Amino acid sequence: MTGSSWIIFVPLLLFLLALLFIARSEACKSGGDFIKSYFLGDRALQGFVLAMTLVATYGSVSSFVSGPGLAWRYGLGWVVFAAPQIITGFLVLGVLGKKMSLVSRRIGAITVIDVIVARFKSSALGAFLSLSLLFFFIAMMVGQFIGGAQLISQAAGIHYVAGLVLFGSVVVLYTTFGGFRAVAITDTVCALLMLAGMGVLAADIIGEAGGLTLLMQKIAKDAGAQQAAAFIDPTSCGALPLTLLFSSWILVGFATVALPQSAVRCMAYKSTQDLHLAMIVSTVVCGALMIGMTLLGFLARAAVPESEAFGGNTDAMIPYLIANHMNPWVAGITLVAPIAATMSTVSSLLIAASSAIIKDLILRRYSLLPDRSEQVARFAKICTFFIGLLSLILAINPFEIIVWINMFAFGGLEIAFLCPLVGGLFWSRATAKGAWVSVLGGLAVYAWACLAKPDLGGWHAVSPALVVSIISFVLVSLAETKNINQDFFPQ
Amino acid sequence: MRPLIGVTSLWDDIKSCGWMWQNYLELIWDAGGMPMVLPLNASNQAIEEAVGRCSGFLFTGGQDIAPEYFESKHPQYCQKPALVRDALGFKLFDAARQAHRPIFGICRGMQLINVAMGGDLMSCFSDGSVMQKRLSYKDAIRRSHREAAYTLAAALLLFLFFWCALFLTADSGVFLFGLPLWFWLSCVGGYLLSVVVVWFLVKKAFRHFELISDEDKKP
């Protein structure tokens, strides 16, 4: 740390203030249809914002820290692992976008759970899925808070809790008072800053080495011949089995279509023009960010050749790079990017978690009516605030179990929602029993694979779980009598 | 002497009569002109008289231009047109333009100028969004199913391209800027291809239609 270490905070503080300011001007007003406005932004998202909020929600602190760190270790093989994200930007919008929006407008759905409950006419299934959503979302938020706070404390040298409270309180505040629309707009700002931060990082890493060719020569020279060969091998000379690389096409590729935090955005946009534009924009941005950041993690070897420098934990590589290889101004600007990624993910999870409690668990059960909407409004904000506060507190001194759940939450959400949501939307014969069996069976296999760690030949645990989930969904549904839901499959 | 400004009459379909807004006339007077309301007479002689006498023309507001005058994409949304005004309007515009008279259009008048010069018109909602094709709920759902299938096919295509590019060139030993060829083709090429594929998907396979909003219609 030098005497000018405060400079690194200037861009970050400006960024946090800007977010609060933007959220204030976009804040959701009470009155009108409060629930629809607070949890869904009145279905008025425009194309560019839709794309950016989708990418920002998806791109998390791990895209900026863990992924690049692993690429540092494995080389280009880890970029192959990240590559399926070239389809992630458009898949959910293209597959779910129009049907979700048509159906949700017809039945007045505000949340993804609303759609599933209406499809299967089973509020028990809805309640179970709401609870699993809350379970996974809170673990993920805690994980994001931990990642962001560690990043600030490592890169800027302040205390972990101070860093946590600094950005954590801002994101909880603007999500609580601003609602979905403020989340979407701040997400857009965050996505742009993520791109900017990546650009600065790329210029720094490649510029320092004097161009890509020289940089690669330096990496090859610093590493031994054997290691250098592994870096440019798609499987990292066997360290990353092909089965794992195929699994990533499921985990961060095809199965992302079921992520509820993405799916809810499919019913929040205004017109087909917005959807079509968003598909193009989010493909451009998502692929660039995910592949770009992972590649930069590998290229960072030129600047940080030894793992002793950052203590051997690859998660600390990017923070180390920011803190030690950049002048404080550039470091400050670069630091904003992963913090923006953290905050934009937390805010979207937070508002969706709150909607699960208010809309799916409380309003459905006790049907508070719109004439008490003042009360609903206050209650919704209090609920958002407390979920955010709870996650923040849990992140201060995290239980190991939460950190562990966070690692598996992403796959867990995909397994819990793939059959009920995507299967339910597109397969007219799907039944509630089929959905139940698929969710419980899939999660059970997943939990077993994660806990017992059996030898799956390199496949990620999400793969067998999804296979079991889909097969049981189809078999149980086919065994039942045909009963077609007219709202979803008009004859 | 003030210049004489010809003002096209409006048409009231219920009363079957031509009429005029007072403020058009007042504002022309205030600007230094002498307004003259033109009769709804589309005969060649009447047009000739008007163009011969008037120094300029104001084409006023009013009903939609009849969809037959341009290639309307949504003729079903056109309100009942005032055919007598359309006939006069286009003839008068051509004659006035040929005689190099200044022409000013307001609202419908501006649209008429646009159509007369070869342009077309898009119907618009009051909130500014462009009028869209309205499908029945059943057709819209069917359309959404087809587009979901196209999207999945596009994703599978990218998946295949990625792995083919990777396997076919993994052992090529060719390097560009220090990075192996397989990386450029599968990761960078796959990314660029994804953008092209989505562009085609959206522009060629996807259709615009109105998202029917039943909840907005509830009181």
Side-chain angles (χ1 to χ4, degrees):
Chain A
M1 294 306 277
T2 60
S4 59
S5 62
W6 55 271
I7 292 177
I8 197 170
F9 292 105
V10 175
L12 187 63
L13 290 176
L14 284 177
F15 162 67
L16 294 177
L17 285 176
L19 286 189
L20 283 176
F21 181 77
I22 293 165
R24 212 183 111 100
S25 56
E26 294 293 337
C28 161
K29 316 275 185 297
S30 298
D33 191 344
F34 176 82
I35 290 289
K36 187 168 129 192
S37 168
Y38 188 70
F39 291 130
L40 211 49
D42 282 322
R43 302 192 205 284
L45 287 194
Q46 299 200 318
F48 185 73
V49 175
L50 173 64
M52 290 312 211
T53 182
L54 193 79
V55 177
T57 300
Y58 181 77
S60 62
V61 68
S62 25
S63 324
F64 273 83
V65 175
S66 321
L70 289 167
W72 185 94
R73 171 182 296 162
Y74 292 111
L76 293 180
W78 199 259
V79 186
V80 173
F81 186 89
Q85 292 165 113
I86 58 176
I87 65 170
T88 311
F90 69 88
L91 193 68
V92 67
L93 291 176
V95 172
L96 299 188
K98 282 193 183 158
K99 179 127 196 202
M100 281 285 271
S101 129
L102 286 166
V103 167
S104 67
R105 279 168 160 85
R106 184 174 182 90
I107 61 177
I110 304 292
T111 65
V112 174
I113 309 276
D114 281 340
V115 174
I116 296 174
V117 169
R119 169 66 182 84
F120 293 107
K121 306 210 184 335
S122 161
S123 43
L125 179 66
F128 178 80
L129 287 173
S130 311
L131 289 173
S132 29
L133 182 146
L134 273 176
F135 177 77
F136 289 128
F137 273 17
I138 290 178
M140 283 164 82
M141 280 191 276
V142 175
Q144 292 292 310
F145 277 139
I146 296 171
Q150 279 175 348
L151 177 73
I152 294 190
S153 79
Q154 288 160 351
I158 58 170
H159 193 265
Y160 171 83
V161 176
L164 179 65
V165 172
L166 183 68
F167 77 91
S169 56
V170 171
V171 64
V172 172
L173 277 181
Y174 76 66
T175 308
T176 300
F177 294 105
F180 185 87
R181 187 166 167 72
V183 167
I185 303 283
T186 49
D187 275 3
T188 306
V189 177
C190 288
L192 293 173
L193 288 169
M194 283 148 76
L195 284 171
M198 185 178 79
V200 172
L201 203 59
D204 184 84
I205 292 173
I206 300 173
E208 194 184 284
L212 201 51
T213 316
L214 289 173
L215 184 146
M216 287 303 296
Q217 283 168 4
K218 184 172 183 324
I219 291 179
K221 205 175 83 202
D222 290 339
Q226 200 184 354
Q227 205 184 12
F231 285 157
I232 53 162
D233 184 73
T235 62
S236 198
C237 284
L240 303 167
L242 278 177
T243 42
L244 179 73
L245 297 177
F246 277 127
S247 301
S248 91
W249 277 85
I250 299 171
L251 183 69
V252 295
F254 288 98
T256 57
V257 72
L259 290 174
Q261 68 269 39
S262 302
V264 69
R265 279 154 175 72
C266 291
M267 42 202 226
Y269 66 89
K270 194 166 179 190
S271 70
T272 51
Q273 272 85 359
D274 295 310
L275 179 77
H276 294 189
L277 174 67
M279 283 177 67
I280 297 174
V281 174
S282 84
T283 306
V284 171
V285 178
C286 185
L289 265 182
M290 300 302 160
I291 295 186
M293 270 316 296
T294 315
L295 178 63
L296 281 176
F298 168 57
L299 298 183
R301 285 201 85 95
V304 190
E306 297 298 331
S307 67
E308 286 79 37
F310 49 83
N313 175 6
T314 53
D315 277 359
M317 192 277 291
I318 289 282
Y320 173 83
L321 182 75
I322 294 177
N324 295 287
H325 276 266
M326 294 178 163
N327 81 51
W329 283 106
V330 179
I333 294 168
T334 314
L335 182 62
V336 167
I339 297 299
T342 312
M343 293 174 74
S344 55
T345 302
V346 169
S347 62
S348 307
L349 297 178
L350 183 52
I351 196 77
S354 173
S355 77
I357 292 189
I358 297 292
K359 184 73 182 41
D360 301 326
L361 293 174
I362 294 181
L363 283 185
R364 189 181 307 286
R365 202 67 29 123
Y366 304 105
S367 61
L368 295 176
L369 292 165
D371 57 301
R372 295 167 71 185
S373 71
E374 269 300 305
Q375 210 175 334
V376 174
R378 198 175 329 124
F379 198 55
K381 287 181 180 173
I382 292 173
C383 177
T384 312
F385 183 75
F386 275 101
I387 302 173
L389 196 65
L390 173 73
S391 314
L392 250 182
I393 292 171
L394 285 174
I396 289 178
N397 197 358
F399 302 111
E400 225 167 284
I401 177 86
I402 297 183
V403 180
W404 190 83
I405 294 170
N406 172 48
M407 280 173 59
F408 300 103
F410 194 82
L413 276 174
E414 291 176 344
I415 294 161
F417 282 87
L418 186 72
C419 290
L421 182 62
V422 186
L425 273 178
F426 292 103
W427 191 35
S428 60
R429 292 217 45 186
T431 64
K433 254 188 215 135
W436 267 116
V437 174
S438 75
V439 173
L440 295 177
L443 287 176
V445 172
Y446 188 58
W448 167 75
C450 293
L451 287 167
K453 296 193 177 63
D455 180 18
L456 298 170
W459 290 98
H460 188 280
V462 82
S463 316
L466 277 178
V467 170
V468 168
S469 168
I470 292 170
I471 291 178
S472 56
F473 180 62
V474 171
L475 290 182
V476 173
S477 293
L478 281 179
E480 287 196 277
T481 46
K482 211 164 159 177
N483 182 10
I484 288 174
N485 186 324
Q486 290 294 328
D487 281 331
F488 287 73
F489 304 96
Q491 298 293 304
Chain B
M1 267 255 276
R2 289 169 172 243
L4 199 60
I5 306 295
V7 186
T8 59
S9 296
L10 291 87
W11 176 251
D12 184 330
D13 204 54
I14 296 165
K15 294 185 193 150
S16 286
C17 72
W19 61 285
M20 179 51 56
W21 287 108
Q22 191 59 24
N23 48 2
Y24 284 136
L25 305 180
E26 275 173 12
L27 288 166
I28 289 174
W29 179 262
D30 291 350
M34 170 64 199
M36 183 176 79
V37 180
L38 298 172
L40 283 163
N41 180 343
S43 69
N44 290 342
Q45 203 187 349
I47 301 277
E48 219 170 276
E49 291 276 342
V51 173
R53 287 173 198 219
C54 296
S55 317
F57 291 92
L58 169 65
F59 283 78
T60 54
Q63 289 94 332
D64 289 349
I65 308 281
E68 296 82 63
Y69 284 94
F70 56 102
E71 279 183 23
S72 173
K73 294 192 179 72
H74 313 290
Q76 69 273 32
Y77 295 115
C78 180
Q79 44 182 208
K80 190 177 176 195
L83 295 173
V84 54
R85 286 198 70 185
D86 290 340
L88 169 68
F90 285 110
K91 253 172 131 171
L92 181 64
F93 177 84
D94 290 340
R97 186 166 170 247
Q98 237 165 21
H100 297 289
R101 295 282 185 275
I103 295 167
F104 190 77
I106 296 175
C107 195
R108 164 199 156 88
M110 180 106 94
Q111 296 171 16
L112 184 136
I113 295 172
N114 176 39
V115 173
M117 303 284 289
D120 62 2
L121 301 171
M122 299 248 274
S123 314
C124 218
F125 288 124
S126 52
D127 66 356
S129 58
V130 175
M131 179 69 82
Q132 302 199 324
K133 198 169 175 186
R134 185 173 291 174
L135 297 179
S136 69
Y137 184 67
K138 187 177 141 191
D139 288 341
I141 289 285
R142 192 175 294 161
R143 185 76 227 163
S144 76
H145 286 182
R146 197 181 306 165
E147 292 181 5
Y150 290 151
T151 308
L152 194 63
L156 286 170
L157 176 79
L158 289 167
F159 170 78
L160 285 177
F161 171 85
F162 180 88
W163 286 108
C164 289
L166 197 153
F167 282 132
L168 290 177
T169 56
D171 303 318
S172 72
V174 179
F175 286 81
L176 290 168
F177 299 102
L179 289 168
L181 182 66
W182 68 261
F183 173 78
W184 288 109
L185 282 180
S186 63
C187 293
V188 181
Y191 166 63
L192 295 177
L193 185 69
S194 78
V195 176
V196 174
V197 164
V198 171
W199 193 88
F200 263 97
L201 182 69
V202 162
K203 298 289 173 195
K204 302 291 171 195
F206 276 38
R207 297 273 181 279
H208 288 298
F209 55 83
E210 193 190 342
L211 298 168
I212 306 147
S213 183
D214 285 346
E215 68 184 294
D216 294 338
K217 286 174 198 146
K218 284 178 197 156

